Amino acid sequence: MNNEQQNMSHFIGGEDVEISKEINGKKTVFVKCLPVRCFAEYASIIDIEVELIALATDLTADQIDSLTPDDSGKIFNKIHELNFEPFTAWLKRKVAANRLKAQAFGIDLPKNTNENNGSLSAEQ
């Protein structure tokens, strides 16, 4: 998805995903661009497909259960396509704000180095 398409998706609040069988007389599901207030929840369920679909669509639990695995996967991927980039920007702001908060208390947090990209090594 290019920047223009992403900007348009965010302008209209999301994007339709085609599915293989009808739900409520439609063969599409509207995937929402999540508002910032939902990003903490997005982070907590980022890998839980059914919960993420419930957050980013208007589908009921029964409708989500009726999705084919392929349709569920397409919706899950679209959720990340639309929301991961704004989420990571929010997360970077959150990290910066926590650094400021720590500084206010006289704590100097270590900066993340490119050596390990934030991952733990076997030596730690």
Side-chain angles (χ1 to χ4, degrees), residues 4-86:
E4 188 175 320
Q5 290 170 316
Q6 182 130 15
N7 288 341
M8 183 54 76
S9 292
H10 285 276
F11 178 74
I12 61 173
E15 207 171 298
D16 283 323
V17 174
E18 286 189 37
I19 56 174
S20 59
K21 63 182 192 175
E22 285 188 9
I23 295 180
N24 292 335
K26 294 175 18 180
K27 288 189 105 176
T28 60
V29 171
F30 188 74
V31 173
K32 302 173 194 172
C33 293
L34 298 172
V36 172
R37 66 181 164 75
C38 291
F39 286 165
E41 185 175 0
Y42 175 78
S44 70
I45 61 173
I46 200 163
D47 61 340
I48 306 172
E49 193 162 318
V50 295
E51 289 187 31
L52 200 58
I53 292 171
L55 177 66
T57 70
D58 289 328
L59 296 178
T60 66
D62 287 339
Q63 291 168 331
I64 293 169
D65 289 345
S66 74
L67 292 169
T68 67
D70 284 345
D71 288 342
S72 181
K74 287 192 319 190
I75 294 167
F76 181 74
N77 290 336
K78 181 58 72 174
I79 293 167
H80 289 308
E81 183 181 319
L82 293 174
N83 293 290
F84 190 74
E85 189 175 320

